[in-house]
Amino acid sequence: MRAVVWLVEGTWPACVDAVRVHAPHAREVVLLHVSGPEVPEVAHGAFAGLMGRGRTWETDPGDRVEALGDGSAAELLDAAAERLGRPCVREERSGRPEREVVAAAEGADLLVLARDGDRSRLGPHSLGPAARFVVDHAPCPVLLVWPGQAPGLATIPPPPHHR
């Protein structure tokens, strides 16, 4: 079994714990982190807009933002690998997270990800847009976990009234 674990800041411990419990004998565990391009692109664009294009003698803050993001991703992957406590593959990708996760799951036997939306109640709003896309398009079985205690059944809205 090959299990891919999507690591996102704030929810990754629940995903690592889930693969330890639900796929303890996986032959390969891939710890996956995806960095979106948005923040460095904004910094590059702001710098170009403020300083003018073609000014090569200035230090572009987008480069520093990218470097900080790379370091943060490496720290997250290191922490996840330590929590997993077994050999694993660490994979860092850059791009649209939902598309990169689906691509990384190709050929996998299991994809583990956490709910990333409203954590106060059960239901479809507990998934943000990226997680919803991944759940809908994953090319393998998906294990969807709560990053903390799941809300109680009382949080389910009542059924619609029929006339």
Side-chain angles (χ1 to χ4, degrees):
M1 169 185 271
R2 179 174 179 262
V4 175
V5 185
W6 182 19
L7 305 176
V8 177
E9 291 80 358
T11 62
W12 67 266
C15 294
V16 172
D17 292 347
V19 79
R20 288 173 54 204
V21 170
H22 299 288
H25 303 296
R27 67 175 161 72
E28 181 180 54
V29 175
V30 177
L31 300 177
L32 172 68
H33 182 271
V34 181
S35 299
E38 302 84 18
V39 175
E41 285 178 4
V42 168
H44 287 303
F47 178 74
L50 290 173
M51 303 305 288
R53 300 200 184 275
R55 304 226 12 207
T56 58
W57 53 271
E58 299 286 344
T59 302
D60 184 342
D63 296 336
R64 179 76 176 129
V65 170
E66 283 183 73
L68 289 171
D70 291 345
S72 175
E75 289 174 10
L76 190 146
L77 286 165
D78 288 346
E82 184 176 329
R83 187 176 185 108
L84 182 62
R86 60 172 279 188
C88 60
V89 175
R90 301 171 196 200
E91 185 174 342
E92 171 64 26
R93 289 182 176 223
S94 181
R96 292 186 59 115
E98 64 275 15
R99 300 246 175 212
E100 293 298 324
V101 171
V102 169
E106 184 175 20
D109 299 296
L110 181 66
L111 172 62
V112 180
L113 67 138
R115 294 174 183 272
D116 61 350
D118 182 359
R119 297 182 197 168
S120 67
R121 61 184 174 168
L122 299 173
H125 295 291
S126 67
L127 292 177
R132 168 57 59 199
F133 183 93
V134 170
V135 167
D136 289 345
H137 296 88
C140 64
V142 174
L143 175 57
L144 182 61
V145 300
W146 284 95
Q149 184 70 32
L153 292 179
T155 65
I156 296 175
H161 295 2
H162 294 301
R163 295 179 189 222

